[in-house]
Amino acid sequence: MTAERSEGAGQRRVLVLGATGTIGRATVRALVSRGHAVVCLVRRPAGTAGVAGATERIVDLADPLSLARDGIRGERFDVLVSCLASRTGLPDDAWAIDYGAQVHALHAGRAAGVTQVVLLSAICVQKPSLAFQHAKLAFEAVLIASGLDYTIVRPTAFFKSLSGQIDRLKRGKPFLVFGDGTLTACKPISDDDLGRYLADCLDDRERRNRVLPIGGPGEAITPKAQGERLFALLGREPRFTHVPVRLLDVIVTVLATIGRWVPALAAKAELARIGRYYATESMLVLDPVTGRYDAQATPSTGSETLFDYYARVIRGEAAAERGDHAVF
Ligand SMILES: NC(=O)c1ccc[n+]([C@@H]2O[C@H](COP(=O)([O-])OP(=O)(O)OC[C@H]3O[C@@H](n4cnc5c(N)ncnc54)[C@H](OP(=O)(O)O)[C@@H]3O)[C@@H](O)[C@H]2O)c1
């Protein structure tokens, strides 16, 4: 990252949290390309983020004093954009980061003049059962009640979360699916399409004070369709291994039971619960009346498709990033 940009017409001074994450990096690129003056609050030097035109400041987000002294530095800001998220999804981490750190930053931002907040959340919070989902919802509620202008963006699945099996297929192994591979579906959204969508929230008044589910372009895609496309791109006959969801239930129960005495296994039980959730819940808008996921009701944005991305990964033109919560 390089020197701070000067402000001009239409430019805002933007504080960004989570700038080193998958979507944070894409969002910083989009904000900088729109001419905003971007200050990223990061926990360690992150030149690897490689976003020219943004400034980074090292901050302990768990410490309000560090936020003010090292992050805000007595300056004025217009907008807070948060792509912050716990890396593990484990309860303590989620409550400290997805909730606590974001609450601290909201207060610090408001004190520094912020009047608008754009929050990256997740579509799965519409049916919460996991600790990190409750932590995200709790922060959404604090933000909505803050009186600041807000846009809460709840995206569907990211490409990295749907790319974890490419290497095993290249090694000649079958594609793993739960059940028949059609238990769930999602409308995958690319990092840059989502980054641009988040950056556009600064100027789009229609998106103010709204909670917005968002997916990528095209039809909803099942795990089976992902596997079929990957085999076609590799020029091989599709081969699937069907994993019963019951198996995950057994794993969760065993780990949770032993986890009462062994904390490390309690953490593994939560990770297994996260895996089970994504094995059985679609990343689409949930119809509150029918209780069913609705692909048609899930809005689309952008132009980059998962299958084009798969083709680029197979050709070696893109590297598949592993999702932190990838099941396989
Ligand atoms: N994966 C999906 O398919 C999917 C779908 C929909 C929504 N979402 C949601 O999208 C959000 C962002 O996802 P992502 O994949 O872009 O996240 P990510 O790559 O895991 O990035 C997380 C960001 O938060 C920062 N962070 C985490 N713990 C921190 C701490 N203790 N102190 C300071 N910074 C900390 C990370 O900094 P470091 O680089 O220093 O670790 C990083 O910048 C998450 O809320 C996720 O739930 C994900």
Side-chain angles (χ1 to χ4, degrees), residues 17-24 41-44 59 61 83-87 93 97-98 120-123 132 136 154-161 278 321 324-325:
L17 308 181
T20 52
T22 305
I23 304 305
L41 305 187
V42 297
R43 59 174 150 175
R44 58 182 77 96
V59 168
L61 291 180
C83 301
L84 189 72
S86 62
R87 286 272 180 193
D93 197 16
I97 298 303
D98 298 64
L120 171 61
S121 183
I123 200 164
F132 83 86
K136 281 183 185 302
R154 293 179 175 175
T156 63
F158 302 162
F159 288 5
K160 69 175 176 182
S161 303
Y278 290 117
E321 190 183 341
D324 294 297
H325 299 161

Short mmCIF file of all heavy atoms in Angstrom, two decimals, residues 17-24 41-44 59 61 83-87 93 97-98 120-123 132 136 154-161 278 321 324-325, ligand 1:
data_model
loop_
_atom_site.label_atom_id
_atom_site.label_comp_id
_atom_site.label_asym_id
_atom_site.label_seq_id
_atom_site.Cartn_x
_atom_site.Cartn_y
_atom_site.Cartn_z
N LEU A 17 -12.18 -2.01 7.42
CA LEU A 17 -11.80 -3.13 8.29
C LEU A 17 -11.80 -4.42 7.47
O LEU A 17 -12.64 -4.58 6.58
CB LEU A 17 -12.81 -3.31 9.43
CG LEU A 17 -13.17 -2.11 10.29
CD1 LEU A 17 -14.17 -2.53 11.37
CD2 LEU A 17 -11.93 -1.51 10.93
N GLY A 18 -10.87 -5.33 7.78
CA GLY A 18 -10.84 -6.61 7.05
C GLY A 18 -10.25 -6.46 5.66
O GLY A 18 -10.53 -7.28 4.77
N ALA A 19 -9.40 -5.44 5.48
CA ALA A 19 -8.87 -5.13 4.13
C ALA A 19 -7.94 -6.20 3.59
O ALA A 19 -7.64 -6.21 2.40
CB ALA A 19 -8.14 -3.79 4.17
N THR A 20 -7.46 -7.09 4.47
CA THR A 20 -6.54 -8.13 4.01
C THR A 20 -7.27 -9.44 3.68
O THR A 20 -6.63 -10.41 3.26
CB THR A 20 -5.47 -8.42 5.08
OG1 THR A 20 -6.15 -8.69 6.32
CG2 THR A 20 -4.53 -7.25 5.27
N GLY A 21 -8.57 -9.46 3.86
CA GLY A 21 -9.34 -10.67 3.57
C GLY A 21 -9.66 -10.77 2.08
O GLY A 21 -9.36 -9.88 1.29
N THR A 22 -10.30 -11.88 1.72
CA THR A 22 -10.63 -12.12 0.31
C THR A 22 -11.47 -10.99 -0.27
O THR A 22 -11.15 -10.41 -1.30
CB THR A 22 -11.41 -13.45 0.18
OG1 THR A 22 -10.63 -14.48 0.78
CG2 THR A 22 -11.68 -13.79 -1.27
N ILE A 23 -12.56 -10.67 0.39
CA ILE A 23 -13.46 -9.64 -0.15
C ILE A 23 -12.94 -8.25 0.22
O ILE A 23 -13.12 -7.30 -0.55
CB ILE A 23 -14.90 -9.85 0.37
CG1 ILE A 23 -15.39 -11.27 0.01
CG2 ILE A 23 -15.84 -8.80 -0.21
CD1 ILE A 23 -15.31 -11.63 -1.46
N GLY A 24 -12.27 -8.14 1.38
CA GLY A 24 -11.70 -6.85 1.76
C GLY A 24 -10.72 -6.34 0.70
O GLY A 24 -10.75 -5.17 0.32
N LEU A 41 -7.40 -0.46 8.38
CA LEU A 41 -6.93 -0.79 9.73
C LEU A 41 -6.63 -2.28 9.76
O LEU A 41 -7.55 -3.11 9.65
CB LEU A 41 -8.00 -0.42 10.76
CG LEU A 41 -8.48 1.03 10.71
CD1 LEU A 41 -9.41 1.33 11.88
CD2 LEU A 41 -7.32 2.01 10.70
N VAL A 42 -5.35 -2.62 9.85
CA VAL A 42 -4.93 -4.02 9.75
C VAL A 42 -4.16 -4.41 11.01
O VAL A 42 -3.65 -3.55 11.73
CB VAL A 42 -4.05 -4.25 8.50
CG1 VAL A 42 -4.84 -3.97 7.22
CG2 VAL A 42 -2.80 -3.38 8.53
N ARG A 43 -4.07 -5.72 11.26
CA ARG A 43 -3.41 -6.11 12.52
C ARG A 43 -1.92 -6.34 12.36
O ARG A 43 -1.21 -6.47 13.34
CB ARG A 43 -4.07 -7.33 13.14
CG ARG A 43 -4.10 -8.57 12.28
CD ARG A 43 -4.65 -9.73 13.11
NE ARG A 43 -5.34 -10.71 12.29
CZ ARG A 43 -5.82 -11.84 12.75
NH1 ARG A 43 -5.68 -12.13 14.03
NH2 ARG A 43 -6.45 -12.67 11.94
N ARG A 44 -1.45 -6.46 11.12
CA ARG A 44 -0.01 -6.62 10.89
C ARG A 44 0.30 -6.04 9.51
O ARG A 44 -0.61 -5.94 8.67
CB ARG A 44 0.41 -8.08 10.97
CG ARG A 44 -0.28 -9.01 10.01
CD ARG A 44 0.18 -10.45 10.22
NE ARG A 44 -0.41 -11.07 11.37
CZ ARG A 44 -1.49 -11.86 11.35
NH1 ARG A 44 -2.09 -12.11 10.20
NH2 ARG A 44 -1.98 -12.39 12.45
N VAL A 59 -3.33 -1.72 13.87
CA VAL A 59 -4.25 -1.44 14.97
C VAL A 59 -4.60 -2.75 15.67
O VAL A 59 -4.71 -3.79 15.01
CB VAL A 59 -5.55 -0.81 14.40
CG1 VAL A 59 -6.66 -0.76 15.43
CG2 VAL A 59 -5.27 0.58 13.86
N LEU A 61 -7.66 -4.23 16.97
CA LEU A 61 -9.10 -3.92 16.90
C LEU A 61 -9.85 -4.27 18.18
O LEU A 61 -10.97 -3.81 18.39
CB LEU A 61 -9.73 -4.66 15.72
CG LEU A 61 -9.33 -4.18 14.32
CD1 LEU A 61 -10.02 -5.01 13.27
CD2 LEU A 61 -9.67 -2.71 14.13
N CYS A 83 -15.33 -5.38 6.13
CA CYS A 83 -15.29 -6.75 5.58
C CYS A 83 -14.64 -7.66 6.61
O CYS A 83 -14.08 -8.70 6.27
CB CYS A 83 -14.51 -6.78 4.28
SG CYS A 83 -15.16 -5.71 3.01
N LEU A 84 -14.67 -7.22 7.87
CA LEU A 84 -14.01 -7.96 8.95
C LEU A 84 -14.79 -9.23 9.27
O LEU A 84 -16.02 -9.23 9.26
CB LEU A 84 -13.97 -7.06 10.19
CG LEU A 84 -13.15 -7.56 11.37
CD1 LEU A 84 -11.67 -7.46 11.07
CD2 LEU A 84 -13.49 -6.75 12.62
N ALA A 85 -14.08 -10.29 9.57
CA ALA A 85 -14.74 -11.54 9.98
C ALA A 85 -13.73 -12.40 10.70
O ALA A 85 -12.55 -12.41 10.35
CB ALA A 85 -15.25 -12.28 8.76
N SER A 86 -14.20 -13.13 11.71
CA SER A 86 -13.29 -14.04 12.40
C SER A 86 -12.79 -15.07 11.39
O SER A 86 -13.55 -15.51 10.53
CB SER A 86 -14.01 -14.73 13.56
OG SER A 86 -15.08 -15.50 13.08
N ARG A 87 -11.52 -15.44 11.50
CA ARG A 87 -10.95 -16.41 10.57
C ARG A 87 -11.44 -17.81 10.85
O ARG A 87 -11.53 -18.64 9.96
CB ARG A 87 -9.41 -16.37 10.65
CG ARG A 87 -8.77 -15.16 9.99
CD ARG A 87 -8.51 -15.42 8.53
NE ARG A 87 -7.90 -14.29 7.84
CZ ARG A 87 -7.81 -14.22 6.52
NH1 ARG A 87 -8.29 -15.16 5.74
NH2 ARG A 87 -7.25 -13.18 5.96
N ASP A 93 -13.92 -16.35 19.06
CA ASP A 93 -13.35 -15.51 18.01
C ASP A 93 -14.45 -14.69 17.33
O ASP A 93 -14.32 -13.49 17.09
CB ASP A 93 -12.66 -16.45 16.99
CG ASP A 93 -11.69 -15.73 16.08
OD1 ASP A 93 -11.29 -14.59 16.39
OD2 ASP A 93 -11.32 -16.32 15.03
N ILE A 97 -14.61 -10.67 17.28
CA ILE A 97 -14.33 -9.96 16.03
C ILE A 97 -15.62 -9.51 15.32
O ILE A 97 -15.84 -8.33 15.11
CB ILE A 97 -13.47 -10.85 15.10
CG1 ILE A 97 -12.13 -11.14 15.77
CG2 ILE A 97 -13.26 -10.20 13.74
CD1 ILE A 97 -11.32 -9.92 16.15
N ASP A 98 -16.46 -10.49 14.95
CA ASP A 98 -17.67 -10.14 14.18
C ASP A 98 -18.59 -9.22 14.98
O ASP A 98 -19.33 -8.42 14.41
CB ASP A 98 -18.43 -11.41 13.78
CG ASP A 98 -17.61 -12.32 12.88
OD1 ASP A 98 -16.56 -12.83 13.35
OD2 ASP A 98 -17.98 -12.53 11.72
N LEU A 120 -20.22 -5.88 5.26
CA LEU A 120 -20.28 -7.18 4.61
C LEU A 120 -20.72 -8.20 5.65
O LEU A 120 -20.02 -8.45 6.63
CB LEU A 120 -18.90 -7.56 4.06
CG LEU A 120 -18.74 -8.99 3.53
CD1 LEU A 120 -19.68 -9.25 2.37
CD2 LEU A 120 -17.30 -9.23 3.11
N SER A 121 -21.90 -8.77 5.45
CA SER A 121 -22.40 -9.81 6.35
C SER A 121 -22.49 -11.11 5.55
O SER A 121 -21.63 -11.35 4.69
CB SER A 121 -23.76 -9.37 6.93
OG SER A 121 -24.22 -10.31 7.86
N ALA A 122 -23.46 -11.94 5.78
CA ALA A 122 -23.55 -13.22 5.06
C ALA A 122 -25.01 -13.62 4.95
O ALA A 122 -25.80 -13.41 5.89
CB ALA A 122 -22.77 -14.30 5.80
N ILE A 123 -25.38 -14.24 3.83
CA ILE A 123 -26.79 -14.59 3.62
C ILE A 123 -27.25 -15.64 4.63
O ILE A 123 -28.43 -15.70 4.97
CB ILE A 123 -27.04 -15.05 2.16
CG1 ILE A 123 -28.52 -14.92 1.82
CG2 ILE A 123 -26.54 -16.48 1.94
CD1 ILE A 123 -28.82 -14.99 0.34
N PHE A 132 -21.16 -17.91 15.04
CA PHE A 132 -20.70 -16.74 14.28
C PHE A 132 -21.88 -16.02 13.62
O PHE A 132 -21.86 -14.81 13.44
CB PHE A 132 -19.60 -17.12 13.27
CG PHE A 132 -20.08 -17.68 11.96
CD1 PHE A 132 -20.42 -16.84 10.91
CD2 PHE A 132 -20.18 -19.05 11.77
CE1 PHE A 132 -20.85 -17.36 9.70
CE2 PHE A 132 -20.60 -19.58 10.57
CZ PHE A 132 -20.94 -18.73 9.53
N LYS A 136 -22.78 -12.09 14.15
CA LYS A 136 -22.99 -11.17 13.01
C LYS A 136 -24.34 -10.47 13.15
O LYS A 136 -24.45 -9.26 12.93
CB LYS A 136 -22.95 -11.94 11.69
CG LYS A 136 -21.55 -12.27 11.20
CD LYS A 136 -21.65 -12.96 9.84
CE LYS A 136 -20.29 -13.42 9.37
NZ LYS A 136 -19.32 -12.33 9.27
N ARG A 154 -25.56 -8.99 2.36
CA ARG A 154 -25.50 -10.41 2.74
C ARG A 154 -25.30 -11.26 1.48
O ARG A 154 -26.28 -11.68 0.85
CB ARG A 154 -26.78 -10.82 3.45
CG ARG A 154 -26.99 -10.18 4.82
CD ARG A 154 -28.31 -10.67 5.38
NE ARG A 154 -28.58 -10.22 6.73
CZ ARG A 154 -29.72 -10.44 7.37
NH1 ARG A 154 -30.70 -11.12 6.77
NH2 ARG A 154 -29.90 -10.01 8.60
N PRO A 155 -24.05 -11.53 1.12
CA PRO A 155 -23.81 -12.27 -0.11
C PRO A 155 -24.01 -13.78 0.03
O PRO A 155 -24.01 -14.32 1.14
CB PRO A 155 -22.34 -11.96 -0.42
CG PRO A 155 -21.74 -11.65 0.90
CD PRO A 155 -22.81 -11.11 1.78
N THR A 156 -24.16 -14.41 -1.13
CA THR A 156 -24.22 -15.89 -1.20
C THR A 156 -22.77 -16.42 -1.16
O THR A 156 -21.90 -15.75 -0.64
CB THR A 156 -24.93 -16.32 -2.49
OG1 THR A 156 -24.16 -15.89 -3.60
CG2 THR A 156 -26.32 -15.73 -2.57
N ALA A 157 -22.53 -17.57 -1.74
CA ALA A 157 -21.21 -18.20 -1.59
C ALA A 157 -20.13 -17.54 -2.46
O ALA A 157 -20.40 -17.10 -3.58
CB ALA A 157 -21.32 -19.67 -1.96
N PHE A 158 -18.91 -17.50 -1.92
CA PHE A 158 -17.77 -16.98 -2.66
C PHE A 158 -17.13 -18.11 -3.47
O PHE A 158 -17.23 -19.29 -3.10
CB PHE A 158 -16.70 -16.42 -1.70
CG PHE A 158 -17.19 -15.33 -0.78
CD1 PHE A 158 -16.47 -15.00 0.35
CD2 PHE A 158 -18.36 -14.64 -1.04
CE1 PHE A 158 -16.91 -14.00 1.21
CE2 PHE A 158 -18.81 -13.63 -0.19
CZ PHE A 158 -18.08 -13.31 0.95
N PHE A 159 -16.39 -17.74 -4.50
CA PHE A 159 -15.76 -18.75 -5.35
C PHE A 159 -14.82 -19.65 -4.54
O PHE A 159 -14.75 -20.86 -4.76
CB PHE A 159 -14.98 -18.09 -6.50
CG PHE A 159 -15.84 -17.47 -7.57
CD1 PHE A 159 -17.23 -17.42 -7.46
CD2 PHE A 159 -15.26 -16.94 -8.72
CE1 PHE A 159 -18.02 -16.85 -8.45
CE2 PHE A 159 -16.04 -16.38 -9.71
CZ PHE A 159 -17.41 -16.32 -9.58
N LYS A 160 -14.08 -19.06 -3.58
CA LYS A 160 -13.09 -19.87 -2.85
C LYS A 160 -13.77 -21.00 -2.07
O LYS A 160 -13.17 -22.05 -1.87
CB LYS A 160 -12.26 -19.00 -1.91
CG LYS A 160 -13.01 -18.44 -0.70
CD LYS A 160 -12.06 -17.69 0.25
CE LYS A 160 -12.83 -17.04 1.39
NZ LYS A 160 -11.96 -16.26 2.29
N SER A 161 -15.01 -20.74 -1.63
CA SER A 161 -15.70 -21.76 -0.83
C SER A 161 -16.19 -22.91 -1.70
O SER A 161 -16.65 -23.92 -1.18
CB SER A 161 -16.89 -21.14 -0.11
OG SER A 161 -16.44 -20.08 0.69
N TYR A 278 -23.44 -25.92 6.01
CA TYR A 278 -23.28 -25.64 4.58
C TYR A 278 -23.59 -26.86 3.71
O TYR A 278 -23.86 -26.72 2.52
CB TYR A 278 -21.88 -25.10 4.30
CG TYR A 278 -21.70 -23.71 4.86
CD1 TYR A 278 -20.77 -23.44 5.86
CD2 TYR A 278 -22.52 -22.67 4.45
CE1 TYR A 278 -20.64 -22.17 6.40
CE2 TYR A 278 -22.40 -21.40 4.99
CZ TYR A 278 -21.46 -21.16 5.96
OH TYR A 278 -21.36 -19.91 6.51
N GLU A 321 -8.12 -20.18 -3.98
CA GLU A 321 -7.84 -19.90 -2.57
C GLU A 321 -8.72 -20.84 -1.75
O GLU A 321 -9.87 -21.06 -2.11
CB GLU A 321 -8.23 -18.44 -2.29
CG GLU A 321 -7.81 -17.90 -0.95
CD GLU A 321 -8.33 -16.46 -0.76
OE1 GLU A 321 -8.68 -15.80 -1.74
OE2 GLU A 321 -8.39 -16.04 0.39
N ASP A 324 -11.84 -20.66 4.48
CA ASP A 324 -11.56 -21.03 5.87
C ASP A 324 -12.57 -22.04 6.39
O ASP A 324 -12.29 -22.83 7.27
CB ASP A 324 -11.56 -19.78 6.75
CG ASP A 324 -10.41 -18.86 6.38
OD1 ASP A 324 -9.26 -19.29 6.53
OD2 ASP A 324 -10.66 -17.75 5.90
N HIS A 325 -13.80 -21.97 5.84
CA HIS A 325 -14.84 -22.88 6.30
C HIS A 325 -15.14 -23.96 5.27
O HIS A 325 -16.20 -24.56 5.31
CB HIS A 325 -16.14 -22.11 6.61
CG HIS A 325 -15.94 -21.10 7.70
ND1 HIS A 325 -16.80 -20.05 7.89
CD2 HIS A 325 -15.00 -20.98 8.64
CE1 HIS A 325 -16.38 -19.32 8.91
NE2 HIS A 325 -15.29 -19.87 9.38
N1 LIG B 1 -16.93 -17.75 2.26
C1 LIG B 1 -18.12 -17.55 1.74
O1 LIG B 1 -18.56 -18.23 0.81
C2 LIG B 1 -18.98 -16.45 2.30
C3 LIG B 1 -20.23 -16.25 1.75
C4 LIG B 1 -21.01 -15.19 2.20
C5 LIG B 1 -20.54 -14.37 3.20
N2 LIG B 1 -19.33 -14.60 3.74
C6 LIG B 1 -18.89 -13.67 4.79
O2 LIG B 1 -18.02 -12.70 4.20
C7 LIG B 1 -17.19 -12.17 5.21
C8 LIG B 1 -15.77 -11.95 4.71
O3 LIG B 1 -15.28 -13.13 4.17
P1 LIG B 1 -13.80 -13.23 3.60
O4 LIG B 1 -13.70 -14.58 3.00
O5 LIG B 1 -13.45 -12.03 2.80
O6 LIG B 1 -12.98 -13.18 4.98
P2 LIG B 1 -11.46 -13.53 5.22
O7 LIG B 1 -10.75 -13.72 3.92
O8 LIG B 1 -11.40 -14.62 6.22
O9 LIG B 1 -10.90 -12.17 5.87
C9 LIG B 1 -11.19 -11.82 7.20
C10 LIG B 1 -10.62 -10.45 7.47
O10 LIG B 1 -10.84 -10.12 8.85
C11 LIG B 1 -9.56 -9.88 9.47
N3 LIG B 1 -9.50 -10.38 10.84
C12 LIG B 1 -9.91 -11.59 11.29
N4 LIG B 1 -9.63 -11.70 12.60
C13 LIG B 1 -9.01 -10.54 12.97
C14 LIG B 1 -8.46 -10.06 14.18
N5 LIG B 1 -8.48 -10.79 15.31
N6 LIG B 1 -7.91 -8.82 14.19
C15 LIG B 1 -7.86 -8.08 13.07
N7 LIG B 1 -8.36 -8.48 11.88
C16 LIG B 1 -8.93 -9.70 11.84
C17 LIG B 1 -8.56 -10.65 8.62
O11 LIG B 1 -7.28 -10.12 8.86
P3 LIG B 1 -5.95 -11.05 8.69
O12 LIG B 1 -5.68 -11.09 7.22
O13 LIG B 1 -4.93 -10.33 9.49
O14 LIG B 1 -6.31 -12.42 9.24
C18 LIG B 1 -9.10 -10.38 7.23
O15 LIG B 1 -8.75 -9.10 6.80
C19 LIG B 1 -17.33 -13.10 6.40
O16 LIG B 1 -18.15 -12.41 7.31
C20 LIG B 1 -18.07 -14.29 5.87
O17 LIG B 1 -18.91 -14.86 6.87
C21 LIG B 1 -18.52 -15.62 3.32
#
